[in-house]
Structure formats: structure tokens, C-alpha cells
Amino acid sequence: MKFLIIGLGSMGKRRIRNLIALRNHAVEGFDLRADRRLEAEQKYKIRTYLSFEQAIQNRFDALIISVPPDKHHIYMKEALKLRIPFFVEASVIDDDLEIIKREANELNLLAAPSSTMFFHPAIRLIDTLINKGIVGTISSIQYHSGQYLPDWHTYEEVSNFYVSNKETGGAREIVPFELTWLVAIFGFPVSVTGLYKKTINIQGAENIDDSYWGLFDYERFVLNLTIDVVSRCATRQLMINGSKGQMKWDWNNHFLNVYTAEKGWEEFPFELMRAEEGYNKNITEQMYVDEMACFIGALEGNQRFVNDLEKDHNVLMLLYALEESNDTHQTIFIK
């Protein structure tokens, strides 16, 4: 298969590495920036283009859209015009998603929004154990995902990329990124009560809200979610309380902790592959490779991709509901 990577920044380069790791696939790239094109050519030995119009003179089996979130809709629409299946990184802005969703359905075109965390071995194990009923009936979930924004791209200033913009700010982006896997396992809530605000000064990101909090009501239980980009030590910590026991995950560990009255605390290990150089050791490259493999399997008709535009749009609406709750001081019920 032949893929065009649209955007050769951090995520675009990662998708090139993913496809190279999966072998037997031709990869080419497009970026407006000459330095990024040169880097991709030299580092990965791929052909690049200085314009999208130049690139699409060639035939591609799929597009990989890895541009900043506020540009996603541009290339999704181009993919629809060309009737080329596409993979797109996680959404954070609702730019014509209803129209894009409808047209993709009418064309019966594969549109695969990212669901990266669902491919993390810890998340897969959590899904398996929850489905087995190991903790019984869930009563509450607490989850904190925290990072420090300047650590995202240590090679450039925060002000130089999209996470410094209010609409595409780092914390705002991570809310749907995390909710995508949470709703895949636990489903959608009936209401949300939320807060968001700026709590500290980060040079280059003066205009963003750096922390989000959400109480997601599932009627039977509540998910208490905290997302921030001010945690100096990158953190992902999960606690699930149930009628039979508890489950804990700290992403610094290569195991889940599960407590039951019968057995006490047990460790359920999983294998965590290496991280790419320059990234946090817990951001395993394998989950991105597995995500691309799932997309290729869907292209070949061998399996369904784990996410779709309908789910992606609905997750994005949870972010919007959280923000509406903060702005109106009300609980927002999900339609």
C-alpha cells in the first residue's frame, strides 16, 4: 500500500516510523515547511512534496492526516473529494464534523480517527479485566492524566506549535484524547459537570487553560477526570472502585494492581515496549504501531477500526459539554 503523510511534524514523523516498522508499505510526505521535508527525506529516505496539489498527482491508497487539529477538516474534506480512505489524529475542534461524517457515510469511505491510548497494553488489560467482572459492579472511577507542556517538544518553544493556542491548547486536546479510550470501555455518560482554567504561567502558552476537571455521571457510577499540562512529573493514575474489589494503574508500573477480598492485592503484568528516543519512557512506540496496523487491517477489509467519526464527534461533544458546564455553572445533560 502507498500512504501520504500530511504534516511532517512530531506526529507525522511518528506515523512514518510506524509504517516503516510494519514493512512493505510505500510512504511519502507533504509539509509546507522546507526544514521538515528535508528532515523526513534525510532521516527516513522518503519522497516529500511542497504542496498537497503536487502530492496528489500520484496515487495513494490512504492519507494519514497529522497536521495541527485546526487543520484536520481541510484534509478530511480533500480526502472525501478524492475518495481516498484516511486516518486522522485526535479531534479537538468541531469544524464541519457533521458534514464530513455524513459524506464519509454516503461514500462508504473508511475514516479512522485516532484512538491511540486504547492500544496501550495497560488499557487493553483494563478492558479485559473489567469485562471479566473482576471488580464487580463499578461504583466510581478516578483518573488523573497530567503532563508538563514544555516537555512535549523539548526541541522548540511552546509558542511555536499549536498547543499554545487557546482552541487547540495542550490540556484541551488531551481531554478527548483520554475520553476516547474511557468511553470505549465504560460507554458514554448521561451528564457532565466541569471546570477549566489557567492555573500557572507557562512561557509561550499564556492564553491557554492548562487544567480541566470533569464529573461524568453514568447514573450507576461517576467518573472523576482531571487533565492538566502543569504536572512536572508526567502522570497517569487510575483508580476503579467496585463491589468486588479495586483496580489501580500507575503508568510508571508495568502491571495493574487488583484487590479482592478473597485474594488481597495481586499484580497483573503486561509488556511495555520501548519509547522512541526523546519521549517519556512510558509513551510506548508500540501502541502507535498497533494503531497503524489496525488501520491497515481495516483498509484491507480484515477488521474494523476501533474508532469512527460518529464516536469521535460524540467524544468531542463531551469536551464541549464540560466547557459549557463551566461557563454556565450548570450540569450539562448529554443528548
Side-chain angles (χ1 to χ4, degrees):
M1 287 188 177
K2 189 175 179 182
F3 296 86
L4 176 66
I5 311 292
I6 302 173
L8 298 174
S10 176
M11 284 309 303
K13 290 195 290 286
R14 171 169 269 148
R15 299 306 179 183
I16 294 171
R17 295 195 300 271
N18 299 161
L19 291 166
I20 290 173
L22 292 167
R23 305 178 186 277
N24 302 320
H25 299 291
V27 183
E28 297 182 356
F30 151 61
D31 199 292
L32 294 173
R33 283 176 48 170
D35 59 330
R36 289 181 174 175
R37 295 196 303 273
L38 181 61
E39 181 188 16
E41 290 168 1
Q42 293 179 339
K43 195 168 186 177
Y44 303 111
K45 312 303 179 189
I46 69 167
R47 181 181 180 183
T48 69
Y49 303 92
L50 54 81
S51 74
F52 182 70
E53 291 71 25
Q54 182 189 45
I56 59 170
Q57 299 306 309
N58 301 276
R59 186 193 67 81
F60 293 98
D61 295 295
L63 306 182
I64 310 293
I65 302 170
S66 295
V67 293
D70 56 346
K71 303 293 189 296
H72 286 177
H73 67 291
I74 296 171
Y75 295 102
M76 287 193 283
K77 288 179 178 179
E78 292 290 349
L80 292 170
K81 286 181 193 174
L82 297 165
R83 301 195 176 194
I84 300 176
F86 64 88
F87 172 94
V88 61
E89 307 296 349
S91 296
V92 68
I93 297 177
D94 184 12
D95 279 331
D96 296 333
L97 279 179
E98 194 66 49
I99 295 169
I100 292 167
K101 185 171 58 178
R102 183 177 66 249
E103 290 186 6
N105 287 337
E106 289 172 355
L107 292 171
N108 195 28
L109 189 75
L110 175 62
S114 177
S115 186
T116 301
M117 283 298 292
F118 193 73
F119 293 90
H120 192 289
I123 304 304
R124 288 178 162 181
L125 183 55
I126 291 166
D127 186 36
T128 297
L129 295 177
I130 291 296
N131 283 327
K132 286 183 177 180
I134 195 167
V135 299
T137 301
I138 295 173
S139 61
S140 67
I141 302 169
Q142 299 176 61
Y143 184 51
H144 175 207
S145 173
Q147 303 165 53
Y148 187 55
L149 195 59
D151 291 342
W152 282 25
H153 290 183
T154 55
Y155 50 85
E156 64 179 337
E157 298 295 329
V158 169
S159 58
N160 288 347
F161 69 116
Y162 70 88
V163 296
S164 61
N165 300 328
K166 188 170 181 64
E167 276 199 315
T168 56
R172 189 171 197 262
E173 180 192 33
I174 295 299
V175 175
F177 182 83
E178 297 285 6
L179 281 172
T180 296
W181 76 262
L182 286 163
V183 302
I185 296 177
F186 303 109
F188 280 85
V190 297
S191 69
V192 57
T193 306
L195 292 168
Y196 67 94
K197 63 181 63 183
K198 176 183 176 62
T199 66
I200 70 169
N201 291 318
I202 297 175
Q203 186 174 357
E206 291 81 5
N207 297 321
I208 74 165
D209 298 294
D210 57 44
S211 301
Y212 278 70
W213 300 267
L215 286 176
F216 296 88
D217 185 2
Y218 282 77
E219 293 187 322
R220 294 182 298 103
F221 63 89
V222 172
L223 164 63
N224 184 344
L225 178 67
T226 298
I227 303 288
D228 72 65
V229 289
V230 299
S231 294
R232 295 308 300 260
C233 180
T235 299
R236 278 189 170 97
Q237 292 185 325
L238 175 73
M239 166 71 84
I240 302 173
N241 281 315
S243 59
K244 293 181 180 179
Q246 293 176 320
M247 182 185 298
K248 293 196 296 187
W249 174 48
D250 183 323
W251 84 325
N252 289 304
N253 299 328
H254 293 187
F255 56 84
L256 302 180
N257 285 117
V258 177
Y259 176 86
T260 58
E262 295 80 11
K263 297 182 178 180
W265 285 106
E266 294 181 278
E267 290 183 2
F268 289 76
F270 54 84
E271 186 177 0
L272 192 67
M273 306 297 288
R274 68 169 182 85
E276 185 70 14
E277 185 177 352
Y279 288 88
N280 184 289
K281 64 182 178 65
N282 297 312
I283 302 176
T284 171
E285 194 76 359
Q286 190 62 44
M287 65 181 175
Y288 294 94
V289 174
D290 291 346
E291 184 175 40
M292 276 291 98
C294 184
F295 177 55
I296 291 169
L299 283 170
E300 294 173 336
N302 298 326
Q303 63 186 107
R304 291 180 62 86
F305 192 71
V306 297
N307 200 7
D308 59 39
L309 288 177
E310 183 69 28
K311 293 176 189 172
D312 194 58
H313 196 196
N314 288 338
V315 166
L316 188 55
M317 290 302 98
L318 294 179
L319 166 65
Y320 280 43
L322 187 160
E323 292 175 331
E324 183 183 353
S325 173
N326 176 90
D327 298 345
T328 62
H329 308 290
Q330 296 180 6
T331 294
I332 303 303
F333 289 87
I334 309 303
K335 297 177 182 178

